[in-house]
């Protein structure tokens, strides 16, 4: 139980650091992902990441870059506590003896198991976040007459519960969320452990300095998006899709329609901001997690 408590506390603090560092990048990613494909002869609302930043600040001020942070911030404690404690429990099942370090392949299994656990919490949180982040772009699209405007995270949750099928509505996009979190976290923890052991020259990584942890965490975070980014695009468009007049019948339909109308590039909308976010945000998360857990003894 002591190890579980350490994972809970360290995961919470690490997750808060990750969110604060990475949320503005995530906002731009979602705006680019969710903007509708332009009509023939029209230009897209955002020409790229920097244009999205400029338009967001002009229209909403710097606070617009942090829109939607309330929902993940409110649940970051539970999300990261669950992620790291689930991983810790998986580690204990795979260890040959208490305290024995695991191989990168074993950490891949641990990450996959943790991904299943966090998907249940991530799905409704991501839905609320994406609705808030994308609403300004959707409101100005040609096909968004009468689009709902949300006042905040609780307003999103209330409206979804009331008019989009109750609790089931909050879990819209669960399949692509699982398809993102399971392989994504498997890769993250596998790469993180492989890099740490490479830097340490063996399985004992307890003596690594903060610089090595920052590099390992940042590159591990980048590997997440390199592995699952198209799945995240599908998740985002499913979660912001109109409930009463949907453009997509499901994840496969969304994938096919994006590919047909925008090509492979459509599956990588917002990839630049996602990668720009992943390195510093995950470096901060893993560093703060390791430092916090070490300080707890």
């Amino acid at each position: 139980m002591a190890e579980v408590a350490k994972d809970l506390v360290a995961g919470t603090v690490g997750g808060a650091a990750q969110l604060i560092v990475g949320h503005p990048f995530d906002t731009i990613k979602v705006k680019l992902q969710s903007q509708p494909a332009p009509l023939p002869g029209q230009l897209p609302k955002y020409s790229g990441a920097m244009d999205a930043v400029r338009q967001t600040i002009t229209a909403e001020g710097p606070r617009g870059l942090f829109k939607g942070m309330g929902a993940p911030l409110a649940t970051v404690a539970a999300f990261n506590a669950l992620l790291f404690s689930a991983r810790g429990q998986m580690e204990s099942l795979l260890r040959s003896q208490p305290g024995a370090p695991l191989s990168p392949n074993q950490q891949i299994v641990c990450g996959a198991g943790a991904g299943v656990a966090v998907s249940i919490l991530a799905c409704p949180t991501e839905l609320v976040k994406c609705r808030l982040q994308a609403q300004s772009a959707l409101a100005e699209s040609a096909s968004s007459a009468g689009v709902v405007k949300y006042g905040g995270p609780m307003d999103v949750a209330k409206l979804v519960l009331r008019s989009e099928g109750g609790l089931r509505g909050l879990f819209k996009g669960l399949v692509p969320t699982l398809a993102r979190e399971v392989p994504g976290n498997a890769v993250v923890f596998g790469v993180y452990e492989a890099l740490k052991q490479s830097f340490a020259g063996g399985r004992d990584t307890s003596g690594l300095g903060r610089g090595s942890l920052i590099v390992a965490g940042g590159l591990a975070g980048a590997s997440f998006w390199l592995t699952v980014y198209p799945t995240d695009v599908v998740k985002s468009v499913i979660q912001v899709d109109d409930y009463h007049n949907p453009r997509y019948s499901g994840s496969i339909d969304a994938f096919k329609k994006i590919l047909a109308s925008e090509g492979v590039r459509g599956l990588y909308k917002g990839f630049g901001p996602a990668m720009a976010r992943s390195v510093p945000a995950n470096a901060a998360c893993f560093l703060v997690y390791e430092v916090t857990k070490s300080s707890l003894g």
Side-chain angles (χ1 to χ4, degrees):
M1 289 304 295
E3 286 300 314
V4 173
K6 289 178 187 178
D7 281 325
L8 289 171
V9 174
T12 298
V13 180
Q18 180 186 43
L19 183 64
I20 292 168
V21 171
H23 193 79
F25 296 97
D26 188 66
T27 295
I28 299 304
K29 171 181 74 71
V30 172
K31 283 178 177 286
L32 291 172
Q33 288 178 336
S34 58
Q35 65 174 332
L39 297 174
Q42 292 185 346
L43 295 174
K45 176 174 173 56
Y46 305 116
S47 62
M50 292 308 299
D51 184 48
V53 171
R54 180 184 61 78
Q55 289 194 45
T56 299
I57 293 176
T58 298
E60 306 172 54
R63 291 179 62 184
L65 295 172
F66 291 89
K67 184 169 287 185
M69 195 170 81
L73 186 60
T75 57
V76 68
F79 182 88
N80 282 277
L82 180 59
L83 176 66
F84 283 98
S85 61
R87 174 213 181 194
Q89 290 303 296
M90 292 289 293
E91 287 179 328
S92 66
L93 291 174
L94 295 178
R95 283 194 176 105
S96 57
Q97 57 186 16
L102 300 181
S103 69
N105 285 340
Q106 289 174 312
Q107 285 291 355
I108 288 174
V109 176
C110 294
V116 174
V118 299
S119 292
I120 306 302
L121 183 59
C123 185
T125 302
E126 290 264 320
L127 183 140
V128 171
K129 174 183 71 68
C130 288
R131 294 281 179 96
L132 290 170
Q133 290 173 322
Q135 67 177 345
S136 61
L138 293 174
E140 296 179 22
S141 71
S143 60
S144 62
V147 69
V148 175
K149 295 290 287 184
Y150 303 108
M154 292 305 297
D155 189 36
V156 177
K158 288 177 182 177
L159 286 170
V160 170
L161 287 170
R162 185 170 65 243
S163 62
E164 297 188 23
L167 190 62
R168 183 179 178 183
L170 287 175
F171 285 90
K172 184 179 183 180
L174 179 60
V175 170
T177 299
L178 281 162
R180 183 190 71 173
E181 293 296 329
V182 175
N185 280 295
V187 169
V188 164
F189 287 112
V191 169
Y192 183 62
E193 190 63 32
L195 288 171
K196 286 202 305 176
Q197 292 186 16
S198 176
F199 295 153
R203 287 200 175 188
D204 183 5
T205 61
S206 59
L208 286 178
R210 294 185 178 184
S212 296
L213 295 176
I214 288 173
V215 172
L219 293 177
S223 71
F224 182 97
W225 293 119
L226 286 170
T227 303
V228 299
Y229 194 80
T231 306
D232 186 66
V233 173
V234 171
K235 179 201 70 68
S236 292
V237 300
I238 288 290
Q239 291 187 322
V240 303
D241 198 14
D242 189 284
Y243 177 75
H244 300 288
N245 186 29
R247 298 168 63 195
Y248 310 109
S249 61
S251 300
I252 300 300
D253 184 52
F255 179 85
K256 289 180 178 178
K257 286 180 176 176
I258 293 170
L259 198 60
S261 63
E262 303 175 63
V264 175
R265 291 182 61 182
L267 295 169
Y268 286 88
K269 291 188 296 185
F271 184 69
M275 290 299 292
R277 167 191 176 271
S278 67
V279 175
N282 283 282
C285 177
F286 278 103
L287 174 63
V288 172
Y289 168 80
E290 297 280 12
V291 171
T292 303
K293 189 170 182 180
S294 177
S295 70
L296 293 174

